Amino acid sequence: MTDHPRSDLAVASPSRGQHQRTGKAGSAVFAWVTLGLATVLSIAACSSTPPQPDWKINAQSALERGSGAWLEGRTSIAEREFAVARQAIAGTGRLDLLARAELTRCAAQVASLQFEPCAAFEALRADAAPAERAYAAYLAGRAGAAEAALLPEHHRAVAAAANPESALQGIKDPLARQIAAGVLLQANRANPAVIATAIDNASAQGWRRPLLAWLKLQAQRAQAAGDAAALDALRRRIALVENAR
C-alpha cells in the first residue's frame, strides 16, 4: 500500500474477495487512511513474509465489510462491522491506529455527503499522526497548504486544483474519487460537472447511499433552476434507487 506513510494500518477499499459486490473500488483511497481510505489493514500476501496477527486480519475484514455496507446503505451491518474493527484494534493499545481507522468511517460518510463532525477521530486527535490530522482537515473541506502537503498525491491535487472537475477525473480509484467529490462539495467547489461525475461514479459502482445523496442534490438544483424536465427525470431515478432495497 503505497499511499500511506506507514504500514501498520493501511485502509483498503471494499473491493476484495467476498466484498466485490460493493463495486470494484480500488485500494488506493483506503490504502492511505481512510479510503477509504477509506478504510483497513495492509496485508502482505507473499510467502516470504511472516503470518499476520489475527487482529490485523479481523480488523481488515471488518473495516472492508463495514465500508461496503455503509456505501450500500446497510447501516446496521456497517455499524456492527466497524465495532468489530474497533475491538480488534483496541487490543493492540495503539491509539494512533484506532484514530486512522476512525477516519475510514468518516471518509465513507463524506463520500455519501454526510458532513457531521468526525467525533470519534476528534476524541483521538492527540494521538494521531500529522498525516491523519491533515486527512481529517481534508475531509472537513478545510485543508490548507500545510495539510495538503501531507495528503496522498491524488487528494493533494484535488485540494489545490483550480479546475476541480479535471482533478476529480484524474483520480483512478472509484472510492477516492467519490470521497474527493464529497470534499469538493463541502468546500463549496462542486460545480455541475463535479456533481455529474459523482453521480456517474456512484452509479457505476452500485453505491446506493452516495448515489441517492448526489441525485437529490442535483434534483434540488434542477428545481431551483426551474428545469421541470430534468427534475422529473431525476425523481424517477431517485425512486428507482430508493425502491432497490
Side-chain angles (χ1 to χ4, degrees):
M1 299 294 181
T2 59
D3 267 357
H4 202 284
R6 299 181 299 281
S7 61
D8 291 324
L9 177 65
V11 183
S13 68
S15 63
R16 309 266 177 139
Q18 62 175 321
H19 220 51
Q20 287 194 356
R21 60 192 178 84
T22 65
K24 294 185 179 180
S27 61
V29 60
F30 280 150
W32 183 67
V33 6
T34 132
L35 26 54
L37 16 125
T39 357
V40 185
L41 302 159
S42 178
I43 292 184
C46 98
S47 59
S48 63
T49 60
Q52 293 294 310
D54 286 346
W55 74 266
K56 284 191 177 184
I57 297 171
N58 293 340
Q60 175 182 10
S61 298
L63 282 172
E64 286 179 346
R65 291 192 300 268
S67 298
W70 179 264
L71 293 169
E72 292 170 351
R74 298 180 293 129
T75 304
S76 60
I77 295 175
E79 295 295 347
R80 184 166 63 247
E81 295 296 345
F82 286 132
V84 169
R86 290 188 196 99
Q87 184 178 23
I89 296 169
T92 69
R94 292 282 302 277
L95 292 169
D96 60 323
L97 299 188
L98 186 58
R100 196 180 308 175
E102 292 296 353
L103 285 175
T104 302
R105 182 171 180 268
C106 294
Q109 290 176 331
V110 169
S112 305
L113 306 190
Q114 294 187 243
F115 297 139
E116 59 264 26
C118 190
F121 171 80
E122 291 302 326
L124 298 164
R125 174 178 287 274
D127 300 290
E132 275 69 50
R133 294 196 293 271
Y135 193 75
Y138 171 74
L139 291 178
R142 50 178 174 78
E147 290 87 3
L150 298 175
L151 297 173
E153 182 177 356
H154 49 276
H155 290 304
R156 188 163 62 246
V158 170
N163 183 345
E165 165 61 11
S166 177
L168 198 61
Q169 291 288 357
I171 299 176
K172 303 304 180 185
D173 179 83
L175 186 51
R177 189 183 304 127
Q178 201 73 50
I179 294 169
V183 168
L184 287 169
L185 180 65
Q186 178 141 247
N188 295 316
R189 299 177 61 210
N191 59 29
V194 167
I195 295 173
T197 296
I199 288 172
D200 290 345
N201 189 71
S203 176
Q205 302 304 315
W207 290 335
R208 180 175 167 274
R209 192 188 297 268
L211 177 59
L212 271 176
W214 283 100
L215 285 172
K216 289 178 179 179
L217 174 65
Q218 194 174 52
Q220 290 172 2
R221 297 197 174 188
Q223 186 172 28
D227 191 338
L231 179 60
D232 188 51
L234 286 163
R235 283 173 172 168
R236 292 196 299 272
R237 289 192 72 181
I238 289 168
L240 177 63
V241 179
E242 286 181 333
N243 290 328
R245 298 187 179 185

